[in-house]
Amino acid sequence: MPDRPAASVAERYDRAGLLAAVVVMAGWHAGFLLPIVIATWLRYGPWASCAAVWLAYAATGTASAVVLLRGRGHGPALPLAACPVLLAGVVTGGLAQPAGFFGSPNWPFVTAAFFALVAMWRRGIAALSAFLAANAIAGLGVLIALGQTDRVSIARFVGLCGGGALPLTLFAGSKLVTAMAGRAASIREELASARVAEQAAEAVQEDRRSRYETIRGTVTGLLRGLADGQLDPAEPATRQRIAVAVSRLRRYLVETDDVPDPLSHELRACADAAERHGVAVDLAAPAGQVPHLPVEVRRALTEPIITVLAAAATRARVTVVASPDHVAVAILADASLTGADRDALASGPGGAAEVSVDEEGGLLWAQAQWTGARASP
Amino acid sequence: MGTSPVDRRTRVAVIEDQDVVIEGVRAWIAADPQRRAVVAAAGDSIDEVLAGPGGDADVIVLDLELGGDLMTGRVAALSDAGRRVVVFSVHVRPVIVDSVMRAGACAFLDKRTERDQFVDTIVAVARDRPAVTPSMAGGLLHAARLSDRERQALQHLFQGMDHASIARRLRKPTGEAVSPATVKQYIGRARAKYAAAGRPCRSNYALLARCIEDGLIRPEEISDYRSAARRVPP
């Protein structure tokens, strides 16, 4: 089954062409040739009428149509089965003519080419050309066997062979139309996916623009305050506001991933929230590729970070170290927690992550680790 | 480092396009109580600074973004020419830190958060000693075959701990804490392994030679890492 719309469009065109060829073949065989066969039988008898050839061709055509309309016929089996029958018909038809090769309608020679066109629908144009050549050689053989090698007969024969160009042209034309339809559909597909990518890029751009506006607002306010003397750079509160603005700006510069992994995205949201409370957060880009993590693991990893960020006084560094089966999220901040809070932090929300906490010299370090090996058994 | 045979001051060339940052760098270097370094030249163009008194500086401090262009492409040529380059930038994404370190930079300093490490880093680099900042540590974690201890030390460095805090967390099997000097050794070995697996250039050779001299890594370990690096194409 085609998994791309363009392929299915090409397939539809191919099928329509095949159906047309089958209808023409059936109409020609039943509507035009059958009366001729009957008329010849009545006049010259069964052998000259080639009724057996007509039946064999009908059987070959029906079998080919069934195989192809079921979507098969890509291999050499169908042509190998059909071609001997068709060529035998050409030879029989030529020898059976009561008045020489061109005496009465020698239909098997011309008809074989149309039946071959259907039988070789799923094969290349080279296979069909090869059959037409074989058909011409068979016809020439019959002509020689009948002794009709005079100049007029050969000229008429060459003219008859020229008729073989018609199925070839039909075949090539149909394949061309199918290829063009497929190309057009795949161009439409490319355009559609380009449009989707463009929309995604616009969304990312819009997101960045709105973040930039927020940052610019913060920075402009600070600069104005400093310029007109309302803010004193010597004041710890002012310095803290500057530190927050700086870390926000820095995050904006570092932020590049158009589709960030969910863990980094959540940590960024936590950092943004902490900054609004005046903590300068240094959120490092993850070291290593963060694997796909279930939501409960991500929650277990971010929970300790949120707790420590909420307790941080002025600054914090948040890091992620990741490999396919191990993720460690850590925070180092000037925070202090009460004994109960620390115990709650260390016990963790669900056990999906192993939490370590350590406090030293006014700095609190907390790390939540997940290992794939432990989560899977 | 006080016992180092190199007792002259480290001469630094600062390439940076913002005057306020150059002033900041001068101030940090001047504030070093041991007065270990001095700014030999400063300017906003690599070629101009190196053509003047900066030409024989011990260390080049390079802002990665000059006039809106990223200078990542220049780092390799400078390292090949035997210059010790310390990249100083706000662009601390691992992919950028990795690419300049691979090109042969001796160290990377985060412009916003690593001013405290500034003088220590350039002095270590001037003496071809391994210097690893937190912004570099994240990249080193995945770039070389590290022992568990080296990995833990780097991970804690990346998380923001200083050597003393890392030492407190890395306990020996007997339960006692390791010394900060041991932590420095772990981190130095990790840096040497990174250099050994990295691009063969003069800055990496100088670092490895000094690490062997200091007994941080053995020569046979280096050939081991080189052949490992050759087996795994970058």
Side-chain angles (χ1 to χ4, degrees):
Chain A
M1 276 288 107
D3 52 354
R4 290 173 50 244
S8 92
V9 166
E11 193 162 287
R12 281 210 309 275
Y13 270 78
D14 184 60
R15 202 177 162 80
L18 172 65
L19 214 56
V22 168
V23 167
V24 169
M25 178 183 75
W28 169 268
H29 204 60
F32 184 72
L33 294 184
L34 189 57
I36 294 178
V37 171
I38 293 169
T40 317
W41 183 316
L42 293 176
R43 201 163 159 197
Y44 299 104
W47 165 244
S49 74
C50 295
V53 175
W54 189 91
L55 285 174
Y57 276 23
T60 305
T62 309
S64 301
V66 169
V67 168
L68 290 166
L69 288 173
R70 280 182 178 172
R72 314 275 295 269
H74 295 276
L78 183 60
L80 282 179
C83 290
V85 177
L86 294 175
L87 290 175
V90 168
V91 174
T92 313
L95 295 174
Q97 293 309 313
F101 199 85
F102 308 102
S104 59
N106 182 358
W107 55 265
F109 183 74
V110 180
T111 307
F114 282 95
F115 278 84
L117 166 70
V118 173
M120 298 193 186
W121 190 261
R122 300 259 149 81
R123 309 284 298 169
I125 198 151
L128 183 60
S129 307
F131 174 81
L132 292 176
N135 195 24
I137 290 167
L140 194 62
V142 172
L143 215 55
I144 292 166
L146 292 175
Q148 292 183 283
T149 47
D150 57 296
R151 202 179 289 177
V152 176
S153 296
I154 294 296
R156 286 182 72 179
F157 178 73
V158 170
L160 212 54
C161 286
L166 186 61
L168 210 56
T169 314
L170 282 176
F171 186 81
S174 163
K175 296 295 164 194
L176 196 68
V177 167
T178 303
M180 276 165 63
R183 268 269 291 290
S186 78
I187 288 170
R188 269 200 302 281
E189 238 174 80
E190 272 167 31
L191 278 176
S193 74
R195 246 194 318 274
V196 170
E198 196 179 316
Q199 281 164 358
E202 269 170 22
V204 168
Q205 181 69 15
E206 179 54 32
D207 186 43
R208 291 228 175 108
R209 203 191 53 76
S210 78
R211 289 179 69 82
Y212 173 70
E213 288 302 325
T214 317
I215 293 162
R216 203 178 60 162
T218 319
V219 174
T220 320
L222 270 174
L223 289 175
R224 191 173 294 133
L226 288 168
D228 61 20
Q230 283 185 344
L231 291 174
D232 180 4
E235 290 257 331
T238 309
R239 286 192 180 178
Q240 183 57 22
R241 277 184 64 188
I242 293 171
V244 169
V246 164
S247 72
R248 198 175 280 169
L249 259 174
R250 177 166 180 275
R251 175 120 31 89
Y252 179 77
L253 286 169
V254 169
E255 214 171 71
T256 53
D257 35 4
D258 293 347
V259 189
D261 65 279
L263 181 68
S264 302
H265 193 79
E266 284 158 21
L267 288 173
R268 187 138 64 220
C270 299
D272 282 341
E275 275 181 351
R276 280 195 281 279
H277 294 106
V279 180
V281 184
D282 174 20
L283 177 63
Q289 186 81 41
V290 179
H292 173 76
L293 297 170
V295 65
E296 65 271 16
V297 172
R298 293 207 306 272
R299 195 166 299 145
L301 288 172
T302 48
E303 204 63 35
I305 308 303
I306 294 171
T307 310
V308 177
L309 273 175
T314 61
R315 63 195 166 90
R317 177 171 167 88
V318 178
T319 55
V320 179
V321 173
S323 60
D325 56 357
H326 175 249
V327 177
V329 183
I331 181 167
L332 192 71
D334 56 350
S336 63
L337 290 175
T338 63
D341 282 345
R342 266 188 69 162
D343 292 344
L345 189 64
S347 63
E354 180 193 316
V355 181
S356 328
V357 191
D358 198 7
E359 217 167 342
E360 179 198 31
L363 284 178
L364 189 123
W365 169 82
Q367 176 178 264
Q369 287 193 90
W370 164 86
T371 39
R374 187 170 43 242
S376 49
Chain B
M1 234 173 260
T3 57
S4 161
V6 185
D7 50 22
R8 72 177 185 88
R9 292 163 77 183
T10 297
R11 301 179 72 249
V12 184
V14 184
I15 302 164
E16 162 68 60
D17 59 353
Q18 282 176 305
D19 290 340
V20 61
V21 177
I22 293 182
E23 287 312 309
V25 168
R26 284 186 194 279
W28 302 338
I29 288 178
D32 178 37
Q34 295 153 271
R35 305 183 63 75
R36 287 171 291 172
V38 61
V39 176
D44 61 0
S45 147
I46 296 176
D47 301 319
E48 281 170 25
V49 169
L50 295 185
D56 61 348
D58 302 309
V59 178
I60 297 170
V61 172
L62 175 65
D63 177 10
L64 207 50
E65 196 177 5
L66 293 177
D69 294 324
L70 280 185
M71 294 291 122
T72 31
R74 298 291 300 269
V75 176
L78 288 169
S79 304
D80 286 336
R83 311 305 307 242
R84 302 183 190 91
V85 181
V86 173
V87 173
F88 183 49
S89 180
V90 291
H91 297 286
V92 292
R93 273 151 55 207
V95 56
I96 293 183
V97 179
D98 270 6
S99 70
V100 296
M101 293 305 298
R102 272 177 210 282
C106 297
F108 193 103
L109 281 162
D110 183 340
K111 224 181 209 181
R112 298 269 170 245
T113 59
E114 289 169 0
R115 50 179 289 185
D116 296 343
Q117 286 112 319
F118 191 91
V119 177
D120 286 344
T121 302
I122 55 175
V123 169
V125 165
R127 294 170 188 179
D128 295 322
R129 290 218 157 86
V132 182
T133 60
S135 54
M136 287 161 69
L140 262 57
L141 267 173
H142 294 284
R145 283 186 297 166
L146 303 174
S147 73
D148 280 351
R149 283 308 174 92
E150 289 158 1
R151 188 177 302 284
Q152 279 172 16
L154 275 185
Q155 183 167 327
H156 289 325
L157 184 70
F158 178 60
Q159 290 174 348
M161 290 186 194
D162 58 22
H163 288 184
S165 303
I166 298 170
R168 252 172 37 82
R169 293 213 53 81
L170 295 185
R171 297 193 174 277
K172 292 181 192 165
T174 54
E176 58 182 309
V178 303
S179 73
T182 310
V183 170
K184 197 175 163 188
Q185 216 172 345
Y186 288 146
I187 293 170
R189 275 181 60 80
R191 177 69 182 91
K193 286 178 177 179
Y194 182 82
R199 205 170 69 90
C201 63
R202 281 171 69 178
S203 56
N204 274 340
Y205 288 148
L207 175 81
L208 289 169
R210 176 46 71 97
C211 288
I212 291 168
E213 239 175 78
D214 290 353
L216 208 53
I217 195 165
R218 291 191 306 278
E220 59 268 29
E221 285 180 273
I222 289 171
S223 57
D224 190 29
Y225 278 95
R226 271 230 196 293
S227 52
R230 224 172 286 130
R231 276 198 299 275
V232 183

